[in-house]
Amino acid sequence: MKSIFKATLAVVVVMLVWATVSMASDPFPIILASAEFTPLTPKKEAQVCPQKDEIDTNRIRLAQKWEEEEKARKAREKGKVIQGTMPDPFQPVNRGFFWVNDKLYFNALKPLARVYGFILPEDVRIGVRHAILNLHAPVRFANSLLQFKLEKAGIVLCRFAINSTVGLGGLLDPASQMGLKRVDEDFGQTLGVYGVKEVAYIDWPILGTSCVRDSLGTVFDTLIDPIYYLVNGWVYAGIFALDKINETSLTLGTYESLIESAIDPYIAVRNAYYQYRRELIQK
Amino acid sequence: MKGKVLTTLLVLLTALPVLAAPTPAVSPMDQVKSEIEDALTILKNPKLKPKEKSQEILKIVEKSVDWQEVARRVLGIRWRRVNPQQRERFTQLFKEFVKANYADKFEKYSDEKIIYEKEETDPPYARVLLKIYSKAQPKPISMECRLINKEGKWLVYDILIEGVSMVNNYRVQINDILVNKSFDDMLKTLEKKIQEKFGKES
C-alpha cells in the first residue's frame, strides 16, 4: 500500500517538474524557436562521455570537437533558407513581375481607382463590394463543405439568401447586422487545411501575389463558380477588373504603407502573403 | 521522513512558477488600452499640429515597446552570433527605423472604433486581442499585441495585424539581406533607409 502511495507521489512529482519546465518555456514557440537556438549535438555527447574520463586532455579534445561541429553547423546554415518562409525558387522572375506590378499599381491602378472613387461615393463602392462578394457565394459554400466546416457553410447559405433578397441583390449587407459574419474560404485554403504546402511563391503579373497551391485553388474556384458559366468570358473578366479597382479605391494606402515601411519590399510582401494565408487556413 | 521531504518538494514545485514570475498590478489589456487611449487623445487634440502629434505619439510608442526584445527576435539566431556592441547598435538603429517609418502614419487615423476583445496571460508573456472597426474595411481588422513582463511592466514586443507578425516580417527581410551581406553592411542599409525617411519628411 505504502509503495503504491510512493509511486503515485513520484509520478506526481515528475509531472509537476514537466509542467514547470513547459510553463517556463515560450508560449509562442515559432518565434523563439530561431531566437533561442541551442546546438543539440554537444549536449548529447556530454551524456555519452562518462564521468570516469576526468583527464583534462580528454575534455579539451572534446571541446575542440564541439567547436568544430559548431563551425560546420554555422557554415551549413549560411545561405540556407530561413525557417518560416515560403520557398521561392522563381525569385528572379518574381522580382521582375513584382517590379512590373508595382509600376502598374502606381501608374495605372491607383490613378484609375482615384478617379473611380471620386465619381462614386464610398457607400456605393461598399455596395459594389458586397454585390461582387455575394455573386461568388457558391464558391465559399462549396469550400466550407469540402473542409467539413458545416457551420460556416450554413452561414454562407443564410447570408446569400438574406443579402440577395432583403439586401437588394447583395448591394446591402443586412446579414452582418444579424450577426452572420462574412466567411472567407477558397480552394487554396481547402488544400491548405488538408496539409498541402505553398510549394513555391508566384507573383503573377496583374493578378498579383500567389503561390502554386493558391493558383491551383483560384483555377478550381473559377471552374466551380456558377457565374463563370452564366456570363460571357469578357463579362467575367470585367467583374474581376471592377472588383480590383473597387477594392483598390477602398483600401488606398494599405499597399503603400507596407512598401514604405519595408527594408526589402519584395520580401515584405511575400512574407505578409505567407503569414496572412497561414492565418486564414487556421481559421 | 521521506514523505515529508516529498511533500516539501511538491509544495516548492507548485510554488515555483508563481515565484519565478510576479504578475504586475496592471493587466496587459488595461495597459494596452491606456496607451492607445493616450495616443487617441493626442490625435484628437485640435490644438496640436500634425508634426507635434506624431512626436507625442512616438514618445508613447518608445516607452511602451521593449526594443531589445524586438531586436533580439528580429535578428533571430543571429542575435547570439554578433557581439554586444553590434547588438546594441542594431537595437538602436531598428528603433530609429521603426519610429521613422510610422512617424507620418498616424495622420491617417479617422475615427475607427477599437474593441478590446480579450487577453491571455502566460507569464512572462501575454497577448491582447483587438478588433478595429472601420467603414472602408470589408471586415473588422484583427490586431494582436504581444507583451512581455519586464520588471512589473508589460512591454510590447510584437504586433500582429490579420495574423501578420511585424517581427516575423522584418526578420525574414533582414535574414534575406544577411544571406549575401555582412552584419555591418546590413546595419548600413538600415542607416540609409532611416536617412531616406528623414530626407523625405523635411
Side-chain angles (χ1 to χ4, degrees):
Chain A
M1 194 58 207
K2 240 184 177 179
S3 59
I4 293 171
F5 176 66
K6 269 185 190 169
T8 335
L9 252 182
V11 169
V12 168
V13 168
V14 167
M15 278 170 74
L16 267 169
V17 169
W18 179 79
T20 324
V21 169
S22 59
M23 270 180 89
S25 70
D26 191 40
F28 313 119
I30 306 165
I31 285 174
L32 258 193
S34 49
E36 292 284 2
F37 186 82
T38 38
L40 279 171
T41 32
K43 271 188 189 166
K44 267 186 195 161
E45 296 247 345
Q47 284 158 4
V48 174
C49 178
Q51 282 169 333
K52 63 180 178 186
D53 261 340
E54 278 175 6
I55 314 154
D56 280 344
T57 46
N58 235 349
R59 286 190 181 170
I60 291 165
R61 228 171 51 205
L62 209 62
Q64 279 170 343
K65 205 180 160 194
W66 292 350
E67 219 162 41
E68 272 167 23
E69 273 176 1
E70 177 72 12
K71 265 186 197 165
R73 192 178 59 78
K74 275 181 189 171
R76 255 183 281 126
E77 249 166 50
K78 213 181 178 184
K80 205 173 147 191
V81 186
I82 295 97
Q83 270 189 347
T85 187
M86 211 185 299
D88 192 4
F90 316 125
Q91 194 172 134
V93 184
N94 281 339
R95 276 195 190 263
F97 283 135
F98 176 77
W99 183 84
V100 169
N101 284 339
D102 190 72
K103 287 279 170 283
L104 273 176
Y105 176 81
F106 283 106
N107 296 316
L109 190 57
K110 197 179 169 185
L112 212 65
R114 276 222 168 121
V115 174
Y116 173 85
F118 184 73
I119 299 166
L120 292 176
E122 195 180 43
D123 288 326
V124 176
R125 284 179 280 146
I126 291 171
V128 170
R129 165 192 278 158
H130 286 149
I132 295 176
L133 203 71
N134 198 48
L135 281 181
H136 298 303
V139 176
R140 292 192 297 281
F141 178 71
N143 280 302
S144 303
L145 278 186
L146 286 171
Q147 295 171 36
F148 293 102
K149 290 175 180 166
L150 299 181
E151 199 194 331
K152 274 193 172 177
I155 291 174
V156 175
L157 205 63
C158 291
R159 276 182 63 93
F160 185 67
I162 295 165
N163 285 353
S164 301
T165 52
V166 189
L168 307 174
L171 278 170
L172 300 174
D173 186 12
S176 279
Q177 277 140 30
M178 295 175 192
L180 296 167
K181 281 181 189 158
R182 182 186 150 173
V183 171
D184 196 351
E185 293 293 352
D186 53 61
F187 196 62
Q189 287 185 55
T190 305
L191 288 173
V193 165
Y194 291 109
V196 179
K197 295 276 181 304
E198 292 86 355
V199 186
Y201 180 65
I202 307 175
D203 198 339
W204 294 105
I206 303 169
L207 301 174
T209 47
S210 191
C211 60
V212 172
R213 179 196 63 205
D214 295 343
S215 301
L216 283 175
T218 311
V219 172
F220 182 85
D221 285 338
T222 311
L223 290 176
I224 61 165
D225 191 358
I227 305 298
Y228 180 69
Y229 301 99
L230 288 173
V231 299
N232 182 302
W234 288 105
V235 178
Y236 195 77
I239 295 174
F240 174 82
L242 176 66
D243 186 35
K244 192 107 182 170
I245 295 167
N246 193 58
E247 275 306 311
T248 311
S249 80
L250 285 167
T251 52
L252 278 176
T254 313
Y255 175 72
E256 286 88 331
S257 35
L258 181 59
I259 294 299
E260 279 167 19
S261 60
I263 308 167
D264 181 342
Y266 170 79
I267 303 282
V269 170
R270 187 186 75 191
N271 176 266
Y273 179 75
Y274 171 80
Q275 287 196 56
Y276 179 68
R277 292 296 294 181
R278 286 262 160 143
E279 173 80 5
L280 276 183
I281 288 163
Q282 275 180 13
K283 273 183 192 169
Chain B
M1 187 56 208
K2 258 189 184 168
K4 246 186 187 173
V5 173
L6 274 175
T7 346
T8 333
L9 232 137
L10 252 168
V11 171
L12 269 175
L13 276 171
T14 23
L16 210 68
V18 187
L19 289 171
T23 24
V26 189
S27 84
M29 192 190 273
D30 288 341
Q31 169 106 23
V32 170
K33 204 171 173 177
S34 81
E35 275 154 8
I36 290 178
E37 247 139 58
D38 283 350
L40 289 184
T41 17
I42 292 167
L43 274 173
K44 285 173 187 160
N45 188 346
K47 283 177 196 161
L48 291 169
K49 285 180 200 139
K51 221 174 184 177
E52 291 171 330
K53 278 183 189 175
S54 63
Q55 266 173 2
E56 288 296 312
I57 288 171
L58 284 179
K59 270 184 206 161
I60 298 177
V61 173
E62 190 165 344
K63 64 173 190 208
S64 58
V65 173
D66 184 345
W67 294 100
Q68 207 195 337
E69 188 71 18
V70 170
R72 191 173 73 87
R73 281 163 187 270
V74 165
L75 277 191
I77 37 175
R78 284 185 169 84
W79 178 259
R80 290 190 168 192
R81 302 192 196 152
V82 293
N83 61 44
Q85 287 93 336
Q86 283 174 315
R87 284 180 199 168
E88 182 56 36
R89 181 94 188 99
F90 178 75
T91 309
Q92 205 55 37
L93 271 180
F94 196 74
K95 179 166 126 186
E96 289 306 314
F97 175 72
V98 171
K99 280 167 68 186
N101 264 332
Y102 295 95
D104 57 343
K105 297 281 187 296
F106 303 114
E107 293 155 26
K108 283 177 188 142
Y109 169 82
S110 58
D111 235 33
E112 279 94 353
K113 216 168 86 191
I114 299 169
I115 304 286
Y116 300 86
E117 275 207 320
K118 63 172 176 179
E119 64 176 6
E120 278 168 22
T121 329
D122 186 2
Y125 299 99
R127 34 189 225 156
V128 177
L129 304 177
L130 317 171
K131 279 261 158 73
I132 303 165
Y133 285 84
S134 120
K135 205 180 162 192
Q137 290 297 334
K139 50 185 177 182
I141 303 168
S142 61
M143 186 171 141
E144 181 181 331
C145 295
R146 290 190 172 169
L147 305 117
I148 184 165
N149 180 10
K150 284 270 169 83
E151 286 145 21
K153 195 180 183 250
W154 290 105
L155 293 168
V156 177
Y157 70 83
D158 194 5
I159 287 178
L160 287 89
I161 293 165
E162 287 291 319
V164 179
S165 145
M166 289 172 81
V167 163
N168 188 321
N169 197 286
Y170 281 121
R171 181 171 60 231
V172 173
Q173 290 180 56
I174 282 181
N175 276 321
D176 194 77
I177 295 174
L178 287 174
V179 170
N180 299 315
K181 279 186 180 173
S182 74
F183 193 81
D184 291 320
D185 282 345
M186 186 272 289
L187 291 181
K188 271 180 203 147
T189 315
L190 257 185
E191 259 172 359
K192 230 172 94 187
K193 279 272 166 189
I194 298 166
Q195 275 165 6
E196 273 171 29
K197 303 270 172 196
F198 282 124
K200 231 165 76 182
E201 261 175 50
S202 54

